[in-house]
Amino acid sequence: MVRQLSFDLPVRTAHGREEFFVSAANANAVAMIEGWHNWPGRKLALVGAEASGKTHLVHVWATLSSARIIEAPDLAGADIPDLAEAPVAVENCDRLNAQPEAEEALFHLHNLALAEGQSLLFTGQDAPNYWPISLPDLASRLQATPVAALEPPDDALLTALMAKLFYDRQVVPHADVLPYLVRRIDRSCAAARKMVEALDSAALAQGRAVTRALAKEVLDKTD
């Protein structure tokens, strides 16, 4: 049930394809995910800033391909031969700095999965040539991976993202809230996420609906 006033309910993040809004900022990345059978070398690096939609698209791809999803740092303790028996998405590959066991595991997963005819999806905030990988053979393989980038959001995407984030929190903002916020927050997905969290928290604490007046109060406190 959606709500006008804020109650302390769990956040349920929707990761289906129908919840992913396509705009000029992400259309190419979405097309690459949906056309995954045609990836050169059967692999792709999906890159973009924090909260840009990488994890959402990873889940979309996992549904399409029956892929498994694992965080890159968790590879050190994983059963690599078992993982390599199906398509695999490895998230946050740019967080492997100074983790040699995880790098070795990713190197073996890369080689074994491709040898088994499986597909691989990697994610990070920047392109693979910027990832802090110390294992030369792994770095060269990742740098040879085609890249799909999630660009900074345009107005349409920023509006849709905040609408989804409110929906995940079972909150219905007043109709003038989203247009008001789009003109005033930093143009990033992370800023949109922080603003929705702040508004939901303020509405909960004060027992108020998410209105333009409340949005102005929250914005004034963050300036």
Side-chain angles (χ1 to χ4, degrees):
M1 180 181 295
V2 295
R3 56 195 167 101
Q4 291 290 340
L5 294 177
S6 185
F7 300 96
D8 193 9
L9 299 175
V11 178
R12 296 182 175 88
T13 303
H15 277 147
R17 171 62 183 86
E18 62 276 11
E19 289 90 21
F20 195 91
F21 182 84
V22 180
S23 78
N26 58 29
N28 179 66
V30 172
M32 291 293 288
I33 290 296
E34 293 180 336
W36 68 278
H37 285 293
N38 299 317
W39 291 350
R42 298 196 307 279
K43 58 182 180 176
L44 181 73
L46 178 65
V47 304
E50 177 188 356
S52 59
K54 296 187 297 295
T55 293
H56 193 154
L57 277 184
V58 164
H59 282 268
V60 170
W61 181 67
T63 299
L64 293 172
S65 64
S66 300
R68 305 178 191 186
I69 303 171
I70 188 168
E71 290 282 329
D74 294 337
L75 285 170
D79 184 338
I80 299 304
D82 179 67
L83 275 177
E85 292 180 359
V88 186
V90 184
E91 291 217 75
N92 298 309
C93 293
D94 51 351
R95 298 181 185 175
L96 283 176
N97 193 27
Q99 299 184 58
E101 292 184 3
E103 286 194 20
E104 287 281 355
L106 181 54
F107 176 70
H108 292 302
L109 175 63
H110 176 283
N111 293 344
L112 186 55
L114 294 183
E116 294 288 338
Q118 305 298 343
S119 296
L120 291 167
L121 178 62
F122 310 106
T123 74
Q125 292 197 24
D126 299 304
N129 55 305
Y130 293 105
W131 295 349
I133 303 295
S134 58
L135 188 63
D137 288 342
L138 174 60
S140 65
R141 284 162 173 76
L142 292 176
Q143 290 168 16
T145 302
V147 174
L150 292 162
E151 304 295 341
D154 51 25
D155 284 358
L157 180 55
L158 206 56
T159 300
L161 173 61
M162 286 191 289
K164 177 191 178 300
L165 292 171
F166 278 122
Y167 176 83
D168 289 344
R169 292 172 173 271
Q170 303 176 64
V171 175
V172 179
H174 284 197
D176 56 353
V177 170
L178 296 183
Y180 178 79
L181 291 175
V182 165
R183 295 192 299 271
R184 289 165 175 83
I185 66 171
D186 290 341
R187 304 200 62 78
S188 73
C189 297
R193 184 179 299 277
K194 290 176 182 176
M195 179 53 59
V196 169
E197 291 173 354
L199 273 169
D200 189 25
S201 178
L204 176 64
Q206 300 176 36
R208 296 169 60 184
V210 178
T211 63
R212 176 169 169 169
L214 182 62
K216 182 179 185 304
E217 291 175 18
V218 171
L219 278 169
D220 289 344
K221 289 179 180 179
T222 59
D223 286 344

